[in-house]
Amino acid sequence: GDSVTQMEGPVTLSEEAFLTINCTYTATGYPSLFWYVQYPGEGLQLLLKATKADDKGSNKGFEATYRKETTSFHLEKGSVQVSDSAVYFCALSGTSYGKLTFGQGTILTVHP
Amino acid sequence: NAGVTQTPKFQVLKTGQSMTLQCAQDMNHNSMYWYRQDPGMGLRLIYYSASEGTTDKGEVPNGYNVSRLNKREFSLRLESAAPSQTSVYFCASSAMRGGDEQYFGPGTRLTVT
């Protein structure tokens, strides 16, 4: 079945540091890939998505490229801010009814 | 436009009690979902409703039932709560099947003692 594996956390960075959160997936066919973010005490919000190979999703300075050859969708940001502190989830949608399969989440803490 | 709303926000139950979690969306979405979130395990799908009038089991359906009351509302019922059901529950909706983003509610934090 479908599965998503994210890098182990938590990740702690200083403000303006470079961020990478690794995500790899296993799925049949051609899934859509997503990054969701969850701020403390809130529900999940879509951060970015990519629906086909080589697509790059981007939003709020975050980017991720759909790499079919390496089955990866790594999240990057060039300069993180304290306000980026949150939990980040990688997810895929590979079925006809739109079920999302999530990774376990990565806690990011950014210090001033 | 409130998006996806859930009630209640917090609930404490004793083992064996029952309760219903309510979810509503005002985006005219066809599909709705119930997930549970547990530490270190991401979100797991409990039940989903691909369209009004249909419901199907997800990854972890045991101990739960659902009702798609109409296109807007999708409720989750715990008939006899167990401590293993202590979790944060999220409702979500999407416009269509396959590849479309899901919009999440704020969650219900449930504790079963």
Side-chain angles (χ1 to χ4, degrees):
Chain A
D2 297 345
S3 67
V4 176
T5 302
Q6 287 180 236
M7 66 183 289
E8 294 286 332
V11 175
T12 303
L13 295 173
S14 297
E15 207 165 22
E16 299 184 2
F18 185 85
L19 169 70
T20 300
I21 301 177
N22 290 337
C23 172
T24 58
Y25 68 90
T26 302
T28 55
Y30 302 92
S32 295
L33 301 174
F34 304 84
W35 277 100
Y36 281 83
V37 59
Q38 183 180 30
Y39 298 104
E42 297 183 11
L44 279 70
Q45 305 173 28
L46 179 69
L47 181 60
L48 53 85
K49 70 177 183 181
T51 57
K52 60 183 188 297
D54 300 324
D55 268 2
K56 178 186 283 189
S58 61
N59 186 24
K60 299 180 181 179
F62 291 90
E63 293 183 340
T65 300
Y66 188 150
R67 301 286 188 202
K68 188 163 176 59
E69 64 275 13
T70 55
T71 61
S72 65
F73 193 54
H74 304 320
L75 182 68
E76 297 182 336
K77 186 175 186 183
S79 176
V80 294
Q81 306 299 313
V82 172
S83 57
D84 294 327
S85 298
V87 184
Y88 292 81
F89 292 93
C90 185
L92 71 83
S93 176
T95 65
S96 62
Y97 56 81
K99 168 185 175 296
L100 286 175
T101 299
F102 285 90
Q104 73 270 35
T106 301
I107 300 171
L108 170 66
T109 303
V110 180
H111 293 296
Chain B
N1 189 338
V4 179
T5 57
Q6 292 182 237
T7 55
K9 290 203 72 163
F10 301 95
Q11 184 71 47
V12 179
L13 292 178
K14 295 189 188 308
T15 297
Q17 288 184 319
S18 63
M19 77 162 295
T20 300
L21 281 64
Q22 306 286 353
C23 173
Q25 52 90 10
D26 62 2
M27 296 173 282
N28 201 36
H29 285 171
N30 288 311
S31 300
M32 298 185 73
Y33 312 83
W34 277 105
Y35 294 90
R36 59 178 288 171
Q37 182 181 26
D38 300 295
M41 301 188 73
L43 278 75
R44 293 180 293 169
L45 184 66
I46 305 171
Y47 271 92
Y48 67 97
S49 171
S51 60
E52 186 179 358
T54 69
T55 61
D56 286 284
K57 296 178 180 179
E59 189 181 350
V60 288
N62 291 344
Y64 305 95
N65 285 298
V66 291
S67 295
R68 183 75 182 267
L69 303 169
N70 46 56
K71 192 171 185 179
R72 288 187 64 247
E73 299 173 288
F74 188 39
S75 62
L76 178 72
R77 183 161 179 83
L78 287 69
E79 290 291 352
S80 179
S84 61
Q85 295 177 305
T86 293
S87 188
V88 182
Y89 291 85
F90 289 99
C91 178
S93 70
S94 68
M96 65 183 199
R97 305 176 181 186
D100 202 46
E101 69 176 277
Q102 292 184 16
Y103 293 80
F104 284 80
T108 295
R109 186 173 294 274
L110 175 66
T111 302
V112 183
T113 61

